[in-house]
Amino acid sequence: MEQRALPSSISGARSFEGNSEVEGDRAVLPPGSELEDFFENAAVGLHIVSNDGTILRANRAELDLLGYAPDEYIGRNIREVHADPATIDDILDRLSRREHLQHYRARLRARDGSIRWVEISSNARSAGGRMINTRCVTIDVTEKVKADELLREQEQRLALTYDSAGVGIVEADAEGRLLRVNGHLCHLLGYTQEELIGRPVFDWTYPADVEVDRAKYRQQVAGKIKSYAIEKRFVRKNGSMFWAVVTSSSVLDASGQFRYAVRVQHDVSERKEIEAILARRAEEQAALHQLTEMLQHALTPEGVYEAALDAIQRGLRCQRASILLLDGGSMKFVAWRGLSDAYRAAVEGHSPWSAADRDPQPISMRDVEHAELPDSLKQAIRAEGISAVCFIPITEGGRLLGKFMAYFDEPHDCTAEQLDVAQTIARQLRFGLERVRTQKAAQRLAAIVESSHDAIVSKDLNGIVSTWNGSAERLFGYTAAEMVGKPIATIIPEDRLGEEPLILGRIRNGELVDHFETVRRRKDGTLVDISLTISPVRDASGRIIGASKIARDISDKKIAEARIQDSERQLRDLLAAIPAAIYTTDRDGKITYFNEAAVQLAGRTPVIGTDEWCVTWKLFWPDGTPLPHDQCPMAVSLREGRPIRGYEAVAERPDGTRVPFIPYPTPIRDASGNITGAINMLVDVSERKQAETQQRILLDELNHRVKNNMMMLKSLLSVAARTSNSSEARTVLDEASRRVAAMAAAQRVLYGTPDAVNFGAEPFLGAVCETAKQMFPPAVQLVCDAEPIDLPNDIAMPLALIINELLINAAKYGLPADGQGTIRVSIGRSGEDISLVVEDEGPGFELSSVRSSSSGLRLVEGLVRQIGGTFEVSRHPSRCTVTFCQMPQETGLATKNSNT
């Protein structure tokens, strides 16, 4: 090893301690010794400092650490190298007291001015009780210090973030006890950290939510799940409550075992409140929609009341409700729920408004106990357990008609939104009652007028027509649309115009014109002999405002035949006037008739006798798939012999435009039940919502017209029977008339049924039996019984004819000789099938023996086959049974392949 000369600053007299020389406070190492080599080439910084702080010696590692050359570093005072004077003073002071320093951290200033962090391990060399010098080991820990500072900064930032986060954060042990909580959670719960730490996380959970959270946490601690999220309620220190989404995640140790859980609580009370408000609004809207739907089907005031009470309780979330209407100036209960007889007797007649009040407004009493009410009334309310009540007026044009009441078992504030809902219910309730009353009155009047075989016309005192029934249309040839609003003189021949002023004069005087025979002119110009009965029409105050005229045809058979021809022409005009595409085919599907609306829908003029199945050029399913004409609903209806409903298709015109439509093909049968053709109506559904409304209107109108024409046909057949000179012809015409009457009765039921595809067995059987009973001897008792089941419209006409034929057969052959007896007819379920049973008191018959001689029974058998049923006859008792399986049809539109 090469020996190195020591700097002159440490040469001079020498003394040794061990292998070192000592001279005063100067120290050197023996040149060339192993100790010298170790000192100079050590991997860490080494230096020797005298007792006054002068650097006596430094090795290469120390010089490299600070960037000094030997002559720049050795000989300087160590205080000049230290960045912190207090630190070096403390080091020298402690070493002078003979302390040993281990890893003492200090900052040294390098030659380039940078600061280096070091750890110093040092002790002093003394002689005679006095420190001679120090021996120091310097280790560079600058990077470690920087890393530690970065770590501390990150930890501080994390702690600040943890505590300042906008969500509640906690750490919990395996028992659920809180180990750490942040400030936001303290703010949410209203507790301090000291009050929370160490307590279970479930202590502030709403009791009903504890078990679900606890069970999940147990699974998490057991390692079955790593995390979970749950919505639950917390109870604050002040007793209030809030909703939060809690996300609990596991922190595991190195072995994968549960160490603690980090649980984040996010306050979602505002969201929950908004959801609750939206749910309330949705429930209120649902209540109003349900009310509207139920009112459409309500046929009686009681039905309206029940629908309104449902809406009140659902829309206002009240526990009880009632409806009161003004009767003789006093409020009377008409419907209620949850109210005792004693309460109703005590409060009936009380009202916050008088009958004379205009535009009364709703009144809400949050707490009845604090309301200004008479003591007797308050006592009655208190005894009923009512805490809050809301009065909602029912008005029309600002005039008070009644009120409904919403009762609450707890104090309750009705919000502005609830009052809006309540007023909407009140309006709907008033509309519903008005509609039922109007409908009942109209139905009674319409039933009287429309069922009359006589022409019934009303007019004002100026002779202007106000109403014009179907018989008037048939008698005079003018439709109601043509005559309403026109002078009655339109049908008076010129030589009889003087009769009208005389008639009106007698009516103004309140006289009755009875059986006045005269002549009137039909629309076609022909004259008809009629008998008139004319009565004054008065308003509510008794003032004469017009006249009601009943005209009876007294023409002969020839005129009646002319009327039949005119009626057929009117029917054709009716089909042409209906604003929907209508066409007919023969039994082979060839087009036999079409109206102008069919031409407009198809965009082409069909060729009668050539075009088949449909008037359209091309057909498609709604999804765009081509629909062959021989597979269209009309073709299916003719092949299967039944009306087809619920289909939708698209017609393409020759110009390329497409029209979506709904077809309504229906087979046409002769008196024997054989298919002679079919009629189809195509409803344009381009504007879906408008089309749905128009569809119902059109169907109702068609049903109405069909019903009227059936009644007209029955009348014509009856007239023909009465005027026929042939007994055989009269028999045939009577049978045809009874069959048409049965079909008309069935049509009335279909017309009055809101369901477009099904009808109720009860009203259907009642209508058919009532029609048939009119033709029986007075002594015959007819008992009808039907279960409340629905049947498809397809079988209405065949079933009506079957019932009619079996009843006629029972009336002819199933009664005792005196003509008195009972016939029973019923419709009910028989397992999965439906049975029609007709019983009489006769001896019965064998079907095989009378089939050839009874055209009626042959008709029944054909109709039974048409509806896919079986026909059985038994004796003791005499009974005819028709069994069939026809389930109600589902509503909605069929699409591609629905006819397969």
Side-chain angles (χ1 to χ4, degrees):
M1 180 177 178
E2 180 183 356
Q3 294 184 356
R4 298 178 60 187
L6 293 176
S8 59
S9 59
I10 61 172
S11 63
R14 300 175 182 174
S15 62
F16 291 89
E17 180 180 272
N19 292 327
S20 297
E21 290 186 348
V22 178
E23 180 184 338
D25 57 357
R26 305 291 183 179
V28 295
L29 295 173
S33 68
E34 290 184 5
L35 188 57
E36 166 70 15
D37 180 69
F38 171 79
F39 180 89
E40 185 64 28
N41 296 301
V44 296
L46 300 174
H47 67 267
I48 300 173
V49 177
S50 68
N51 56 7
D52 63 356
T54 300
I55 302 173
L56 301 178
R57 187 162 185 190
N59 71 347
R60 186 181 303 166
E62 175 119 351
L63 295 173
D64 290 344
L65 169 64
L66 299 176
Y68 288 102
D71 57 350
E72 295 173 325
Y73 189 68
I74 298 171
R76 297 180 65 180
N77 195 291
I78 194 64
R79 291 180 177 86
E80 297 177 19
V81 181
H82 275 264
D84 303 310
T87 299
I88 185 57
D89 288 344
D90 181 59
I91 291 173
L92 293 174
D93 180 61
R94 292 173 66 178
L95 288 173
S96 69
R97 298 197 302 268
R98 300 182 183 178
E99 292 184 23
H100 289 259
L101 301 182
Q102 292 290 332
H103 305 296
Y104 191 104
R105 187 162 290 185
R107 295 191 306 155
L108 301 181
R109 185 176 289 107
R111 185 176 184 278
D112 60 5
S114 63
I115 301 298
R116 307 295 295 179
W117 279 92
V118 297
E119 287 184 352
I120 298 173
S121 296
S122 179
N123 59 11
R125 185 165 65 87
S126 303
R130 185 171 67 87
M131 183 179 74
I132 304 301
N133 58 28
T134 68
R135 295 164 292 192
C136 301
V137 177
T138 305
I139 299 176
D140 186 6
V141 292
T142 302
E143 297 304 321
K144 179 181 179 183
V145 169
K146 289 181 179 179
D148 290 344
E149 288 179 352
L150 179 60
L151 180 60
R152 280 195 301 274
E153 182 182 349
Q154 290 175 342
E155 288 178 348
Q156 291 173 354
R157 187 181 298 114
L158 179 61
L160 184 61
T161 302
Y162 181 93
D163 199 57
S164 303
V167 295
I169 305 175
V170 304
E171 296 173 7
D173 64 12
E175 301 300 325
R177 291 186 295 267
L178 295 180
L179 304 174
R180 184 180 179 184
V181 298
N182 74 340
H184 190 76
L185 183 67
C186 294
H187 173 72
L188 286 176
L189 292 174
Y191 290 94
T192 65
Q193 288 186 340
E194 291 74 14
E195 292 174 311
L196 296 174
I197 296 297
R199 295 179 62 182
V201 295
F202 310 108
D203 280 5
W204 302 276
T205 302
Y206 187 71
D209 300 339
V210 169
E211 286 308 315
V212 175
D213 192 10
R214 194 192 302 275
K216 288 284 188 182
Y217 195 72
R218 287 173 181 157
Q219 289 182 300
Q220 184 179 5
V221 172
K224 295 180 180 178
I225 56 176
K226 290 184 179 180
S227 63
Y228 68 92
I230 186 172
E231 284 190 1
K232 69 174 187 176
R233 290 161 287 185
F234 286 88
V235 180
R236 296 186 177 95
K237 187 175 183 179
N238 62 9
S240 63
M241 188 181 69
F242 69 93
W243 276 94
V245 174
V246 178
T247 303
S248 182
S249 302
S250 297
V251 176
L252 309 179
D253 60 19
S255 62
Q257 298 300 310
F258 179 87
R259 187 176 174 190
Y260 61 90
V262 176
R263 295 168 63 87
V264 178
Q265 286 78 208
H266 181 67
D267 185 2
V268 293
S269 299
E270 184 177 353
R271 190 201 77 193
K272 284 289 187 178
E273 183 177 353
I274 293 173
E275 289 176 352
I277 292 173
L278 293 176
R280 288 197 299 270
R281 295 294 171 272
E283 184 68 8
E284 290 167 358
Q285 292 303 312
L288 293 178
H289 289 317
Q290 182 182 16
L291 173 62
T292 303
E293 177 68 20
M294 293 178 67
L295 289 180
Q296 293 299 318
H297 302 290
L299 302 178
T300 64
E302 290 73 22
V304 174
Y305 300 148
E306 286 302 305
L309 290 174
D310 285 344
I312 293 167
Q313 289 189 279
R314 184 178 179 185
L316 302 183
R317 299 183 300 282
C318 58
Q319 288 71 50
R320 289 172 276 186
S322 66
I323 301 172
L324 300 90
L325 298 179
L326 275 176
D327 183 5
S330 178
M331 289 286 186
K332 303 292 184 182
F333 282 94
V334 295
W336 59 89
R337 284 184 185 168
L339 301 179
S340 66
D341 294 342
Y343 172 79
R344 288 185 285 105
V347 303
E348 191 168 56
H350 289 278
S351 173
W353 320 282
S354 70
D357 286 344
R358 297 289 296 177
D359 295 319
Q361 297 301 308
I363 297 175
S364 177
M365 293 184 181
R366 181 188 183 281
D367 191 341
V368 176
E369 286 297 328
H370 298 94
E372 295 182 1
L373 296 173
D375 290 341
S376 59
L377 184 58
K378 186 177 290 187
Q379 178 60 35
I381 296 174
R382 185 184 298 117
E384 194 71 6
I386 297 171
S387 293
V389 65
C390 190
F391 302 77
I392 305 299
I394 303 171
T395 63
E396 180 180 22
R399 181 172 59 90
L400 183 65
L401 302 180
K403 66 179 179 179
F404 76 72
M405 310 281 292
Y407 307 96
F408 302 88
D409 293 345
E410 300 292 338
H412 178 80
D413 269 324
C414 282
T415 64
E417 291 78 9
Q418 284 182 311
L419 291 179
D420 286 342
V421 172
Q423 289 179 294
T424 301
I425 294 173
R427 286 193 294 270
Q428 292 287 71
L429 172 57
R430 192 251 301 172
F431 292 153
L433 291 174
E434 182 179 338
R435 184 186 66 80
V436 168
R437 285 195 294 267
T438 303
Q439 184 174 334
K440 276 192 171 183
Q443 287 175 344
R444 285 195 295 269
L445 180 61
I448 294 172
V449 173
E450 290 300 328
S451 63
S452 174
H453 298 301
D454 298 327
I456 300 178
V457 177
S458 65
K459 59 185 179 181
D460 63 18
L461 294 179
N462 295 317
I464 303 301
V465 176
S466 302
T467 63
W468 187 269
N469 77 338
S471 293
E473 292 182 356
R474 294 188 291 273
L475 178 59
F476 298 115
Y478 290 97
T479 65
E482 292 173 315
M483 285 303 297
V484 172
K486 303 292 178 57
I488 193 66
T490 303
I491 62 171
I492 301 177
E494 294 181 359
D495 60 342
R496 291 181 178 267
L497 288 175
E499 295 176 355
E500 183 64 11
L502 295 176
I503 292 174
L504 291 176
R506 294 180 63 181
I507 291 300
R508 289 190 181 96
N509 294 329
E511 298 180 26
L512 171 68
V513 180
D514 191 20
H515 295 96
F516 174 69
E517 294 188 0
T518 184
V519 176
R520 292 291 180 260
R521 188 184 303 279
R522 295 190 182 95
K523 182 179 180 180
D524 61 3
T526 61
L527 300 178
V528 57
D529 294 318
I530 60 172
S531 173
L532 292 178
T533 298
I534 308 170
S535 305
V537 175
R538 303 175 186 271
D539 62 13
S541 64
R543 183 170 56 94
I544 296 174
I545 58 173
S548 173
K549 178 184 296 186
I550 300 176
R552 181 167 297 170
D553 184 5
I554 54 175
S555 301
D556 56 14
K557 178 182 177 181
K558 186 175 182 180
I559 295 177
E561 291 175 351
R563 287 173 55 198
I564 293 175
Q565 296 174 359
D566 188 57
S567 176
E568 291 176 351
R569 181 182 55 78
Q570 290 181 48
L571 179 59
R572 201 169 196 78
D573 291 343
L574 171 64
L575 293 177
I578 291 176
I582 296 178
Y583 67 96
T584 60
T585 70
D586 60 17
R587 64 183 180 182
D588 297 322
K590 299 288 186 181
I591 304 296
T592 58
Y593 166 82
F594 57 87
N595 65 358
E596 183 60 27
V599 175
Q600 294 175 1
L601 185 141
R604 60 185 292 272
T605 301
V607 180
I608 292 179
T610 300
D611 283 2
E612 292 182 315
W613 312 119
C614 191
V615 296
T616 57
W617 185 47
K618 291 182 180 179
L619 285 173
F620 298 87
W621 290 108
D623 62 1
T625 305
L627 172 60
H629 277 61
D630 62 354
Q631 297 178 22
C632 72
M634 185 63 148
V636 176
S637 178
L638 282 169
R639 281 198 300 269
E640 299 181 4
R642 63 183 180 88
I644 301 298
R645 299 292 183 267
Y647 285 78
E648 183 176 349
V650 178
E652 182 175 301
R653 298 180 174 124
D655 64 2
T657 60
R658 293 189 176 188
V659 181
F661 67 90
I662 300 175
Y664 293 87
T666 304
I668 300 174
R669 301 178 184 275
D670 60 18
S672 301
N674 299 317
I675 295 177
T676 60
I679 183 171
N680 197 1
M681 177 173 63
L682 310 180
V683 178
D684 185 348
V685 291
S686 300
E687 297 292 338
R688 170 66 63 179
K689 290 185 178 180
Q690 179 181 359
E692 289 174 353
T693 302
Q694 292 302 320
Q695 173 187 339
R696 188 62 204 179
I697 294 173
L698 189 59
L699 286 174
D700 287 347
E701 178 66 17
L702 184 58
N703 284 332
H704 178 69
R705 295 295 182 180
V706 171
K707 180 196 72 174
N708 286 346
N709 280 286
M710 285 186 176
M711 295 303 297
M712 177 186 72
L713 180 58
K714 177 182 180 302
S715 299
L716 295 177
L717 292 173
S718 298
V719 170
R722 289 198 304 271
T723 57
S724 176
N725 295 325
S726 169
S727 61
E728 181 178 352
R730 285 195 299 273
T731 299
V732 171
L733 290 171
D734 283 339
E735 289 181 355
S737 177
R738 286 193 294 271
R739 290 166 180 165
V740 170
M743 295 172 67
Q747 186 65 28
R748 283 199 304 274
V749 173
L750 296 180
Y751 175 62
T753 300
D755 191 337
V757 296
N758 302 305
F759 65 89
E762 292 177 289
F764 172 80
L765 183 62
V768 176
C769 289
E770 184 63 28
T771 301
K773 186 177 180 180
Q774 297 175 8
M775 306 173 191
F776 290 175
V780 175
Q781 183 178 3
L782 183 59
V783 178
C784 301
D785 180 30
E787 294 182 10
I789 55 179
D790 286 338
L791 299 173
N793 288 356
D794 297 355
I795 69 168
M797 294 305 169
L799 193 60
L801 291 173
I802 291 171
I803 296 171
N804 181 73
E805 295 300 323
L806 295 179
L807 289 177
I808 292 174
N809 183 73
K812 284 184 179 180
Y813 307 111
L815 298 175
D818 57 2
Q820 297 184 358
T822 301
I823 300 173
R824 290 180 171 82
V825 57
S826 65
I827 296 178
R829 294 191 181 278
S830 177
E832 296 183 355
D833 295 329
I834 297 171
S835 295
L836 164 68
V837 179
V838 178
E839 293 185 359
D840 57 50
E841 298 177 355
F845 60 92
E846 293 292 340
L847 182 60
S848 58
S849 62
V850 300
R851 179 182 288 114
S852 59
S853 61
S854 174
S855 61
L857 289 178
R858 291 199 303 274
L859 175 60
V860 168
E861 288 185 308
L863 294 171
V864 170
R865 287 193 298 270
Q866 179 182 332
I867 66 175
T870 58
F871 179 49
E872 297 179 352
V873 175
S874 62
R875 294 183 173 182
H876 311 299
S878 175
R879 177 184 297 162
C880 295
T881 303
V882 176
T883 304
F884 57 96
C885 179
Q886 290 284 349
M887 293 298 103
Q889 298 180 13
E890 294 184 2
T891 59
L893 294 176
T895 56
K896 181 181 178 182
N897 298 331
S898 294
N899 61 331
T900 58

